[in-house]
């Protein structure tokens, strides 16, 4: 993978994106849920940090069986979060600060409450019947094939009135759309235009690998080894997702998005386990602009694993493609807990690595303060998908709790006498306010890293080269920067280039000549003379 010097870089190349879970960021209305006006109130936090774009978790009307990933109106705003005027104002206010707003688009399925599905239930000849995936019972009765939903139950729900099953790869309340139907393509192209015309900077595309299903609805083959990226519940989703026809959807959307000025960003949730398939979503530079790299997300936080996944990714992506590095999200959890077990040295080091790898970084809200996951007691949990099904994935509420802005009872998230929709944890990271007051905090380190990245690497995908270093360490050059990381429990001598240290995690904001001895779980950045 080499940077494409001939083509002017779009704004997202090398950008810092920030995933903002709207319900947990800032509650302006005093109902315990974060909302769009709340984001406007706190936009200065994002511009202070230096982010270029913000991806909002689902904002469209929804019954919230899956917290917005069950959409009942693709051109509206969920009334609990605000209205279209609030969204317009947010786009404008963010734009004034140089921040683009991306929405979450859910094209794999709708809510069962969407008018298309309500109509589809009315009869086999309903206008929207073929918007969804329907099938007759198997010859002996029962579901049409062996596919399972996200809870491990059969992915088919019988509709007695019309005598057929409908497909739901996630919850019963999330019927899958039928992408073999050209009308579905037209609907989504109109939806894209609707938001792009309003100034939305692009979309994060939910379940991007999943849109088309096998035309013959063949059984999924067995899964040899449990691995969340290869399949679940003993099956590999070869036919229920991952179909080649989906690529044409992205080629069509790419021409549409590139027709805008500036081009609108398409960032896919590409839940695939190998770099080759990940690369396929970039097409020949004519599909998604960016694709989430889940092999990196799920890599172990160690030198060998990370070096390997970065090399494989960069080796697989087509020329000019921009990789994406992220380590936390609302499904997989937070890296300060997952990768770092709360160890502040590791949290600092992980931020240093994320922000210096060549490509685009997506931070999750709270990453900037090293926010930990919260053990949400069962009676306070809100995520239905992880409550249903014994074998289901771990509870996701733990990574969706409100951001603690200050140490008041409402955390600066909501009013002091309001109970937030999910509890705060007793987070050792403290609040945004506390960390703003301490220039040695994770928050300040994060800000300095972003500023350094901008001044040294900004606006392009820098050339990455791994340099020789002892086991347990990782040293690479990216642009003119040399990053040295010790991902081990022992101090290691890692000779760096002569010259001043621009940034170090161990004694931030240290500057001075590089000490060749790198403390355990620490990193430093120098510049090639
Ligand atoms: C991926 C989303 O990130 C997740 O939260 C959701 O439950 C599923 N897609 C279904 O939309």
């Amino acid at each position: 993978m080499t940077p494409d010097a001939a083509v002017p870089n779009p704004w997202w190349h090398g950008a810092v994106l920030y995933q903002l879970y709207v319900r947990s960021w800032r509650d302006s209305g005093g109902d315990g849920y974060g909302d769009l006006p709340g984001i406007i109130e706190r936009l200065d936090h994002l511009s202070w940090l230096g982010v270029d774009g913000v991806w909002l978790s689902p904002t469209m009307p929804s019954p919230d069986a899956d917290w917005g990933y069950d959409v009942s109106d693709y051109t509206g705003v969920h009334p609990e979060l605000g209205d279209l005027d609030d969204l317009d104002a947010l786009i404008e206010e963010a734009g004034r600060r140089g921040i683009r707003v991306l929405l979450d688009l859910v094209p794999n399925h709708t809510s069962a409450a969407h008018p298309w599905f309500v109509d589809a239930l009315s009869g086999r000849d309903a206008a929207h019947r073929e918007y969804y995936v329907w099938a007759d019972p198997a010859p002996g009765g029962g579901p049409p094939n062996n596919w399972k939903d996200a809870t491990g139950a059969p992915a088919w729900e019988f509709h007695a009135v019309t005598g057929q099953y409908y497909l739901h790869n996630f919850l019963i309340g999330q019927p899958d759309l039928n992408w073999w139907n050209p009308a579905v393509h037209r609907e989504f192209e109109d939806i894209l235009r609707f938001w792009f015309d309003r100034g939305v900077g692009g979309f994060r595309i939910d379940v991007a690998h999943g849109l088309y299903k096998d035309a013959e609805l063949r059984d999924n083959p067995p899964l040899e080894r449990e691995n969340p990226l290869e399949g679940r519940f003993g099956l590999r989703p070869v036919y229920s997702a991952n179909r080649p026809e989906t690529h044409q959807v992205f080629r069509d959307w790419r021409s549409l998005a590139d027709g805008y000025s500036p081009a609108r960003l398409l960032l896919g949730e590409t839940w695939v386990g190998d770099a080759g398939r990940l690369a396929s979503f970039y097409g020949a530079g004519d599909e998604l602009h960016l694709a989430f790299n889940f092999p990196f997300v799920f890599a172990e936080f160690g030198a060998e694993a990370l070096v390997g996944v970065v090399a494989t990714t960069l080796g697989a992506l087509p020329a000019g493609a921009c990789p994406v590095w992220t380590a936390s999200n609302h499904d997989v959890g937070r890296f300060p807990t997952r990768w770092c077990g709360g160890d502040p040295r590791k949290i600092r080091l992980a931020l240093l690595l994320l922000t210096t790898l060549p490509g685009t970084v997506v931070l999750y809200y709270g990453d900037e303060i090293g926010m930990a996951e919260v053990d949400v007691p069962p009676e306070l949990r809100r995520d239905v998908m992880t409550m249903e099904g014994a074998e289901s994935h771990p509870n996701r509420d733990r990574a969706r709790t409100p951001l603690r802005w200050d140490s008041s009872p409402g955390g600066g998230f909501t009013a002091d006498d309001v109970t937030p929709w999910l509890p705060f944890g007793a987070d050792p990271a403290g609040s945004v306010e506390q960390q703003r007051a301490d220039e040695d905090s994770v928050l300040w380190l994060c800000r300095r890293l972003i500023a350094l990245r901008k001044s040294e690497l900004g606006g392009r995908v820098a050339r990455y080269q791994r340099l020789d270093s002892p086991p347990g360490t990782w040293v690479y050059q990216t642009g003119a920067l040399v990053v040295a990381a010790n991902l081990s429990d022992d101090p290691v001598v890692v000779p760096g280039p002569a010259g001043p240290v621009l940034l170090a995690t161990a004694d931030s904001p240290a500057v001075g000549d590089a000490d060749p001895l790198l403390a355990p779980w620490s990193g430093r950045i120098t510049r090639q003379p």
Side-chain angles (χ1 to χ4, degrees):
M1 202 243 4
T2 49
D4 189 345
V7 181
N9 287 323
W11 68 266
W12 54 82
H13 272 204
V16 177
L17 304 180
Y18 183 98
Q19 181 191 352
L20 191 157
Y21 199 82
V22 180
R23 286 180 181 272
S24 286
W25 212 64
R26 161 76 187 150
D27 167 23
S28 74
D31 61 0
Y33 292 103
D35 47 43
L36 300 180
I39 301 174
I40 299 177
E41 287 175 10
R42 297 286 159 88
L43 272 175
D44 287 341
H45 172 66
L46 299 179
S47 47
W48 180 83
L49 198 57
V51 313
D52 304 292
V54 55
W55 146 35
L56 306 182
S57 58
T59 47
M60 296 167 192
S62 161
D64 290 326
D66 187 17
W67 296 106
Y69 287 103
D70 47 325
V71 176
S72 53
D73 171 7
Y74 284 93
T75 54
V77 169
H78 196 305
E80 282 177 4
L81 306 181
D83 58 22
L84 274 174
D85 288 343
D86 294 322
L87 190 59
D88 289 344
L90 172 56
I91 292 168
E92 192 180 325
E93 283 299 322
R96 204 169 282 160
R97 292 163 176 84
I99 298 172
R100 260 96 171 187
V101 176
L102 313 178
L103 298 187
D104 212 316
L105 184 70
V106 189
N108 181 68
H109 45 267
T110 69
S111 161
H114 194 290
W116 298 336
F117 192 68
V118 174
D119 177 54
L121 291 179
S122 69
R124 287 200 185 198
D125 54 0
H128 297 89
R129 181 78 175 179
E130 298 306 322
Y131 274 39
Y132 295 89
V133 184
W134 293 96
D136 293 332
N145 64 23
N146 72 349
W147 299 356
K148 290 188 178 165
D149 76 5
T151 71
W156 297 93
E157 181 69 6
F158 189 61
H159 183 238
V161 179
T162 53
Q164 284 189 306
Y165 283 86
Y166 72 83
L167 175 69
H168 57 89
N169 269 329
F170 291 88
L171 298 174
I172 289 171
Q174 293 171 297
D176 277 58
L177 283 160
N178 172 18
W179 279 89
W180 291 99
N181 182 351
V184 171
H185 292 239
R186 288 194 293 273
E187 295 280 8
F188 273 86
E189 285 166 16
D190 286 348
I191 292 163
L192 256 60
R193 281 191 207 96
F194 174 86
W195 292 110
F196 290 162
D197 288 346
R198 280 195 109 86
V200 162
F203 287 109
R204 176 266 189 186
I205 301 159
D206 191 59
V207 197
H209 53 288
L211 309 190
Y212 270 84
K213 319 298 183 258
D214 180 45
E216 296 167 43
L217 304 178
R218 282 171 279 187
D219 273 359
N220 277 329
L223 177 69
E224 294 78 34
R225 260 180 308 118
E226 274 302 314
N227 169 345
L229 290 176
E230 293 303 334
R232 289 169 60 211
F233 310 118
L235 294 174
R236 282 198 302 131
V238 170
Y239 297 116
S240 55
N242 300 304
R243 305 309 300 157
E245 294 83 4
T246 299
H247 291 279
Q248 187 56 44
V249 177
F250 298 137
R251 284 191 280 272
D252 295 343
W253 290 7
R254 175 65 174 261
S255 343
L256 204 158
D258 284 357
Y260 281 78
S261 178
R264 304 306 202 243
L265 167 59
L266 301 174
L267 161 61
E269 187 210 17
T270 42
W271 188 271
V272 295
D274 68 89
R277 282 198 292 148
L278 174 64
S280 75
F281 286 97
Y282 290 84
D286 59 353
E287 296 191 32
L288 299 177
H289 298 103
L290 298 176
F292 272 114
N293 183 344
F294 284 97
F296 178 81
V297 173
F298 283 109
E300 218 181 280
F301 190 59
E304 208 186 320
L306 292 176
V307 166
V309 75
V310 167
T312 316
T313 305
L314 299 182
L317 295 198
C322 178
V324 181
W325 312 107
T326 192
S328 306
N329 76 25
H330 63 293
D331 295 327
V332 303
R334 296 185 173 280
F335 84 76
T337 303
R338 285 188 328 113
W339 268 1
C340 308
D343 184 335
R345 301 169 307 169
K346 296 184 183 176
I347 293 171
R348 287 165 178 269
L349 180 57
L351 281 171
L352 178 139
L353 295 170
L354 280 167
T355 52
T356 51
L357 285 171
T360 296
V361 56
V362 185
L363 298 175
Y364 186 44
Y365 83 100
D367 279 356
E368 71 273 34
I369 56 168
M371 181 170 172
E373 293 175 8
V374 174
D375 251 326
V376 179
E379 66 281 10
L380 297 181
R381 290 188 189 159
R382 312 296 296 258
D383 179 28
V384 174
M385 197 179 286
T386 55
M387 287 190 251
E388 286 180 1
E391 274 187 289
S392 194
H393 34 149
N395 171 252
R396 301 182 297 183
D397 293 312
R398 50 190 303 110
R400 300 177 177 183
T401 57
L403 183 62
R404 202 186 266 287
W405 292 92
D406 61 37
S407 44
S408 65
F413 162 71
T414 189
D416 287 349
D417 56 352
V418 169
T419 306
W421 79 297
L422 280 172
F424 294 106
D427 198 328
S431 68
V432 173
E433 186 184 62
Q434 281 164 337
Q435 293 207 17
R436 267 293 281 266
D438 172 7
E439 293 208 16
D440 287 334
S441 63
V442 171
L443 180 61
W444 274 88
L445 174 73
C446 188
R447 180 177 192 246
R448 285 192 191 98
L449 283 165
I450 292 173
L452 183 68
R453 166 192 177 87
K454 270 206 179 123
S455 61
E456 298 286 332
L457 311 171
R460 69 202 163 85
V461 183
R463 196 178 292 274
Y464 163 95
Q465 195 190 352
R466 186 181 173 211
L467 306 175
D468 281 343
S469 72
T473 68
W474 182 14
V475 180
Y476 53 89
Q477 182 165 349
T478 173
L481 299 181
V482 177
V483 177
N486 179 1
L487 294 108
S488 80
D489 291 326
D490 301 306
V492 183
V493 174
V494 181
V501 174
L502 302 177
L503 235 164
T505 61
D507 47 2
S508 164
V511 279
D513 276 333
D515 181 348
L517 197 66
L518 212 49
W521 300 103
S522 77
R524 62 156 189 258
I525 306 174
T526 42
R527 191 189 288 114
Q528 201 58 300

